[in-house]
Amino acid sequence: MASQLMPLELIDRCIGSRIQVIMKGDKEFSGVLSGFDDFVNMVLEDVTEHDYDGTTTKLSKILLNGNNICMARHTLNSNFVLSRTDCGDSAGFCLAAALKAGYHCSALARTPSKLSASMTAKGVSQETQDRYLTITQGDIRNSEAVERTLVINGAVVDTVVSGVGATAIKFVFSLYPMVLADETICRDAMTNILAALRAVTASSTAQKPLLIPVSTTGIPAPGKPRDIPLLWIPFYKWLLHSPHVDKEVMDSLVRQEVRKPESERAIRASVTVRPSFFAGSTKGWQSLRVGTDDEPARGYFTERQDVGEWMFEKLIKGEPEREWVDGGVHLTH
């Protein structure tokens, strides 16, 4: 028999998150749920009061009488940083899945029309995009653009998915022949994202976002076991040396952040996604083998759509497994 979720338990899961409350009469409130009792009397902080005539009023805190509440819902906000190649488009497929499921999403893109066309190609209707997707035009190194992307309707997003990567590769006559045209894009992006998160969460009482950076296999965290097959080592360590150096610095920035005391973090937690090499056709996200930093799932190939949809199902729609939090989750076929 499927487990049942009782109403008060459902409300309890929203503590620290932004919710929308529709009252009897002509008022609606959105704010951060800081407490409630058995009679569903609610205390909200960082509140916006909405009248049906279109006027809004900002309040620092309010107590709502449970007898007058008609409906309450968790505001589902996600943020996607999709500048450059977005790691083989896995973050793009994750965004498409979130939009189809009715999540309010904000995305940073240098060319909004290209992102919109990409969503259309992934089966997201224009009506759905108009309703749920906000695109901020800008570059990941533009702090103001990143900060704007992290806020939807006045609320800091619940989840940040970063799929930043470089588009251009050049070949040179050296020990490591394949070099990124922008060799610091991943580390610069993560530095800017964390700084922007620190800025937008400084005055908010809401729960800080979950950070989901898309990285790679082949660069395990210090002290962790090898996460690629033996035959893959020359390919990863030689041909992919340049992009992996950048990703490795990005990963270290995330590890440094989650080691800080919770009060000093820009995020509440992180889950670093480590897919194996993208190749082949989709097999369905359920077909992926999943490993951890301590027990990686080693494999040669995976597929970008499967990874993106897995990210949505397991990390955004669902709660991440405890062993993935503040570490890595390894995905391969």
Side-chain angles (χ1 to χ4, degrees):
M1 180 181 295
S3 61
Q4 293 183 343
L5 190 64
M6 303 304 291
L8 292 181
E9 184 181 354
L10 182 61
I11 296 172
D12 186 65
R13 290 189 177 188
C14 294
I15 291 287
S17 296
R18 184 165 290 273
I19 66 170
Q20 178 186 21
V21 182
I22 299 175
M23 309 295 291
K24 295 177 183 177
D26 59 353
K27 291 189 183 297
E28 178 179 321
F29 297 87
S30 61
V32 178
L33 179 64
S34 61
F36 69 97
D37 63 15
D38 290 347
F39 301 98
V40 200
N41 299 311
M42 295 183 179
V43 177
L44 301 184
E45 297 180 352
D46 191 16
V47 183
T48 302
E49 177 183 344
H50 306 267
D51 286 327
Y52 288 153
D53 63 3
T55 61
T56 60
T57 305
K58 290 288 188 180
L59 304 168
S60 61
K61 184 179 290 188
I62 193 170
L63 171 63
L64 301 179
N65 189 324
N67 290 327
N68 295 324
I69 294 175
C70 292
M71 184 181 76
R73 71 181 183 92
H74 186 199
T75 303
L76 300 170
N77 289 340
S78 294
N79 166 259
F80 290 78
V81 182
L82 299 172
S83 180
R84 312 280 172 132
T85 61
D86 68 79
C87 289
D89 210 19
S90 55
F93 280 106
C94 184
L95 172 59
L99 291 170
K100 292 174 186 177
Y103 283 63
H104 292 277
C105 299
S106 173
L108 174 65
R110 292 194 299 174
T111 310
S113 60
K114 288 184 178 180
L115 176 57
S116 181
S118 175
M119 291 300 101
T120 301
K122 293 176 175 62
V124 182
S125 69
Q126 191 59 53
E127 180 183 1
T128 297
Q129 293 184 51
D130 292 342
R131 183 173 183 180
Y132 295 116
L133 178 59
T134 301
I135 303 177
T136 298
Q137 182 175 10
D139 189 87
I140 191 64
R141 291 189 172 101
N142 185 318
S143 300
E144 184 182 349
V146 177
E147 289 183 22
R148 289 202 310 272
T149 312
L150 293 169
V151 177
I152 302 177
N153 298 325
V156 179
V157 296
D158 301 309
T159 309
V160 177
V161 178
S162 174
V164 175
T167 54
I169 295 174
K170 57 186 179 181
F171 289 88
V172 296
F173 291 101
S174 71
L175 178 61
Y176 303 111
M178 192 175 79
V179 179
L180 296 178
D182 189 339
E183 296 186 76
T184 64
I185 181 61
C186 294
R187 72 191 78 176
D188 292 347
M190 186 53 60
T191 298
N192 223 14
I193 290 169
L194 291 172
L197 280 169
R198 197 165 283 109
V200 299
T201 60
S203 59
S204 175
T205 57
Q207 182 175 245
K208 293 176 181 178
L210 170 69
L211 175 63
I212 306 174
V214 182
S215 185
T216 180
T217 51
I219 48 171
K224 301 300 181 180
R226 171 177 54 84
D227 60 357
I228 56 174
L230 286 171
L231 290 177
W232 242 197
I233 291 177
F235 174 63
Y236 269 60
K237 299 299 183 183
W238 174 64
L239 194 61
L240 297 179
H241 174 79
S242 175
H244 281 189
V245 166
D246 192 27
K247 287 284 188 183
E248 199 163 18
V249 177
M250 179 192 77
D251 291 354
S252 70
L253 291 171
V254 177
R255 287 194 293 268
Q256 290 170 25
E257 192 68 26
V258 299
R259 290 193 191 110
K260 296 178 180 178
E262 288 189 16
S263 60
E264 298 178 15
R265 292 185 184 185
I267 55 178
R268 71 173 184 270
S270 71
V271 178
T272 299
V273 177
R274 300 187 180 281
S276 52
F277 195 79
F278 287 127
S281 58
T282 179
K283 300 177 182 178
W285 66 267
Q286 300 92 334
S287 67
L288 287 169
R289 293 190 290 119
V290 181
T292 65
D293 283 343
D294 292 319
E295 296 182 0
R298 298 187 184 99
Y300 291 94
F301 302 106
T302 189
E303 200 278 333
R304 54 182 63 88
Q305 181 175 346
D306 294 348
V307 170
E309 292 178 354
W310 185 95
M311 288 163 57
F312 169 71
E313 293 290 339
K314 295 295 187 179
L315 303 180
I316 297 177
K317 182 179 177 181
E319 281 292 317
E321 298 289 337
R322 183 175 298 178
E323 58 264 32
W324 305 337
V325 174
D326 292 344
V329 57
H330 299 243
L331 303 175
T332 191
H333 279 123

